[in-house]
């Protein structure tokens, strides 16, 4: 009996994962559509992706990354 319960539980978990994977694919497609819309409006997608990534970061991590970038740029004569 416990084997049946374990098998049912496993099946339910796998079905949940499959549903979530489908939802994730749908959301991913929606995000791609928004980037496409931004591109067709004339916005630079690479820059938008960078901004989205930076906005996800905590301020002190963002400040540190920008400081390192500035340091490396200065060392390479790009500043």
């Amino acid at each position: 009996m416990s084997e049946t319960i374990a098998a049912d539980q496993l099946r339910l978990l796998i079905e949940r994962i499959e549903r979530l994977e489908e939802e994730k694919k749908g959301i991913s497609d929606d995000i791609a559509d928004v980037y496409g819309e931004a591109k067709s409006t004339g916005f630079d997608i690479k820059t938008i992706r960078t901004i989205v990534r930076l906005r996800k970061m905590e301020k002190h991590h963002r400040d540190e990354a920008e400081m390192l970038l500035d340091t490396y740029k200065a060392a390479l004569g790009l500043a």
Side-chain angles (χ1 to χ4, degrees):
M1 178 157 177
S2 66
E3 288 180 21
T4 303
I5 293 172
D8 287 343
Q9 184 178 17
L10 177 61
R11 181 183 49 76
L12 290 173
L13 290 169
I14 290 172
E15 288 173 356
R16 281 177 50 201
I17 291 169
E18 290 170 341
R19 276 193 307 277
L20 290 169
E21 289 288 344
E22 288 176 24
E23 290 176 23
K24 183 170 74 170
K25 171 71 171 110
I27 290 171
S28 181
D29 290 344
D30 292 346
I31 291 169
D33 290 344
V34 173
Y35 279 114
E37 182 181 337
K39 184 176 182 177
S40 70
T41 308
F43 291 104
D44 182 67
I45 300 308
K46 186 175 179 179
T47 303
I48 289 176
R49 288 185 187 279
T50 300
I51 295 296
V52 169
R53 182 177 44 80
L54 289 171
R55 287 173 52 110
K56 287 180 185 178
M57 297 172 81
E58 293 180 16
K59 181 170 177 9
H60 68 278
H61 288 283
R62 186 173 56 245
D63 291 343
E64 180 182 349
E66 289 175 359
M67 182 191 69
L68 284 171
L69 180 60
D70 289 342
T71 301
Y72 288 10
K73 285 170 44 179
L76 297 172
L78 298 173

